[in-house]
Amino acid sequence: MHFDDEAVRRHFNTWHWLLENFGGLSAIRGTRLALPRDFASIQPTRDHAFAEKTFEMVKTLMGMSDWPCRLGQFPDGSEQNVARRHSLDGEWSSNGPAGLYIKTEEGVTIGYSNAQLDKPSALVATLAHELCHYLLKMAARSHPPGGWQDHELHTDTACGFMGFGIFACNAVFDFQQWGDHQMSGWKWSRQGYLSESEHSYSLALYCALTGIDAKTASAHLKNNPREYFEMALDDISHRPAEMDRLLRVKCLPRSLPPILSIESESDASVDSAPDSAAVFTRMDVEELGPTKPWYAPLWDFYMRLASAQAGECWHDKEFAAMDLLQPALRHAVLAMRFTLRFDDQGLQGAIILEEADEPARSEQMLQETIQAFEALRDCPRARFLQMLLPGIAVHFAELERAEREETLDEFFSPLDQDEAWRGLDLLWNHELRRMIRDKPMTFVHPAG
């Protein structure tokens, strides 16, 4: 089996974001891998008291024992809960909701389906997933790669990050046979958002980063996840550059407050974000110097601004946000945006917009980025991107051909020029810092 390169890239980007936001390597190495024996002392009475004891153990293992929340149960297959599927966050099985994260004025409730009481291991996975919702929504200091629209995938990945990869892997697919002397049959159910192979890859990353013996994890996995896990370990061993990037990740400063994204409210609408999301004050500009990473306040402002705009997909929101910015601030954001996307996804990922199925929008964003580098006196980068501009149309045409002919393994994009891009000096960075120092008011938003 060959792991999909795009799925692997998404894994590494999400893990980089998790490490950056939640304590880095020192924090993850301070956790331990949750094992079935951690719950062996809890008698499986299959009632709410059993669920509450399991819940407290999961909170303790995740280091969240002091996070205020209550545990609630809802009937399996409840029409009311199914009707609310699109307004509440939670983990879903093929038979309906397995768990729910609910935040109201009264506080946070973690809900679980009563059907989970018959599956203690799946109950652990569900409770870990819902607590990860709580963690990401209340403590993240930056927006995740790809935006919050993929928050369920980020949450599933966070289960592995928090040490619950074994339970997550084993809970994905459940196959049961039954029978007596007259008849027999089988049934299956699926739970969660990531596949078995994706959860196994996340568990393999956890073991590789923490130094936990892979045999310890493998011994507790079902057959399918075990095979995926061993293949993931082998795949990771052949990705030294990606692993080195995770090993060198720098945590966001604790001085950065949690973003408390509007997505974290179950009844909030992206289009109803407060006007304050569009404010970048003189004090914010001054923070660009001492803050490390220095661009964090500006990037957080831009992500809040873009999230508050109307649009069917993320790049529509970005274009709307750019239209609101005065020239100096827009040029700074465009240069910073392109650089961060390159660090996360390479040159192809920095140029091609997500969800864009034709070249025009990617060409438009790249043209604006070229103008930004020119304004910031980084002519080498502007010329380099100008040279790549015609390659966007070629990229889409060749990708379409490869998909049609089923030769994606042989696909090569003319935009894959990462090494040449890395060789260019950061002229724009120096010019931007000079402008921030000499003309800080040109970066205040709203202008004037």
Side-chain angles (χ1 to χ4, degrees), residues 304-325:
R304 290 199 314 271
L305 180 63
S307 297
Q309 306 310 307
E312 294 184 0
C313 54
W314 179 247
H315 64 254
D316 288 336
K317 295 174 180 291
E318 287 199 280
F319 279 113
M322 294 294 179
D323 289 341
L324 299 175
L325 300 177

Side-chain angles (χ1 to χ4, degrees), residues 85-387:
R85 176 170 182 168
H86 297 293
S87 62
L88 293 175
D89 296 312
E91 182 166 60
W92 292 79
S93 73
S94 55
N95 299 319
L100 293 171
Y101 167 88
I102 306 168
K103 186 176 185 295
T104 65
E105 293 180 357
E106 287 74 35
V108 171
T109 297
I110 302 299
Y112 70 94
S113 164
N114 57 10
Q116 297 276 290
L117 293 172
D118 294 323
K119 306 172 184 177
S121 180
L123 176 63
V124 171
T126 294
L127 297 177
H129 176 96
E130 303 311 331
L131 285 169
C132 283
H133 267 302
Y134 193 8
L135 175 71
L136 268 55
K137 294 182 178 202
M138 301 307 292
R141 291 179 169 82
S142 68
H143 295 272
W148 288 105
Q149 60 266 32
D150 292 331
H151 68 280
E152 290 292 0
L153 298 178
H154 301 315
T155 304
D156 252 4
T157 305
C159 290
F161 179 83
M162 297 298 289
F164 280 79
I166 290 175
F167 290 94
C169 285
N170 288 337
V172 173
F173 189 81
D174 183 36
F175 178 88
Q176 297 179 21
Q177 290 180 299
W178 55 270
D180 54 29
H181 66 281
Q182 290 183 319
M183 64 181 64
S184 64
W186 57 270
K187 63 179 180 178
W188 67 273
S189 63
R190 191 187 189 285
Q191 177 171 312
Y193 294 84
L194 295 182
S195 65
E196 282 185 330
S197 63
E198 290 172 317
H199 269 302
S200 299
Y201 204 99
S202 189
L203 176 60
L205 279 174
Y206 178 88
C207 291
L209 290 170
T210 59
I212 290 175
D213 188 354
K215 294 180 180 178
T216 301
S218 182
H220 295 283
L221 292 173
K222 293 179 180 179
N223 289 337
N224 273 2
R226 183 183 300 121
E227 292 183 12
Y228 290 133
F229 175 67
E230 292 171 355
M231 288 187 285
L233 290 171
D234 179 69
D235 186 84
I236 290 170
S237 70
H238 292 87
R239 298 181 183 271
E242 291 92 333
M243 286 300 297
D244 182 62
R245 180 168 169 262
L246 293 185
L247 293 170
R248 293 187 294 106
V249 69
K250 295 181 180 179
C251 300
L252 293 178
R254 292 188 176 275
S255 58
L256 275 181
I259 56 175
L260 299 179
S261 72
I262 55 176
E263 181 277 335
S264 69
E265 303 295 337
S266 61
D267 59 350
S269 166
V270 169
D271 296 333
S272 63
D275 291 340
S276 60
V279 173
F280 196 64
T281 67
R282 172 66 183 268
M283 186 177 299
D284 293 325
V285 177
E286 292 174 352
E287 281 296 311
L288 289 175
T291 302
K292 294 185 182 301
W294 72 268
Y295 55 79
L298 180 57
W299 185 242
D300 188 50
F301 154 74
Y302 170 64
M303 294 299 284
R304 290 199 314 271
L305 180 63
S307 297
Q309 306 310 307
E312 294 184 0
C313 54
W314 179 247
H315 64 254
D316 288 336
K317 295 174 180 291
E318 287 199 280
F319 279 113
M322 294 294 179
D323 289 341
L324 299 175
L325 300 177
Q326 63 268 34
L329 190 56
R330 183 170 65 253
H331 295 151
V333 165
L334 281 163
M336 177 180 61
R337 172 192 173 279
F338 190 89
T339 301
L340 294 179
R341 284 175 64 93
F342 171 78
D343 290 343
D344 277 346
Q345 305 174 43
L347 201 53
Q348 181 185 150
I351 294 174
I352 302 299
L353 299 176
E354 292 91 348
E355 302 181 41
D357 53 7
E358 51 87 26
R361 296 293 265 174
S362 295
E363 290 171 342
Q364 179 184 351
M365 183 66 82
L366 186 61
Q367 189 63 63
E368 293 186 14
T369 302
I370 292 170
Q371 294 171 4
F373 281 122
E374 289 175 342
L376 292 170
R377 301 184 181 182
D378 198 332
C379 294
R381 288 180 186 270
R383 286 194 296 268
F384 190 94
L385 294 182
Q386 188 68 51
M387 178 187 69

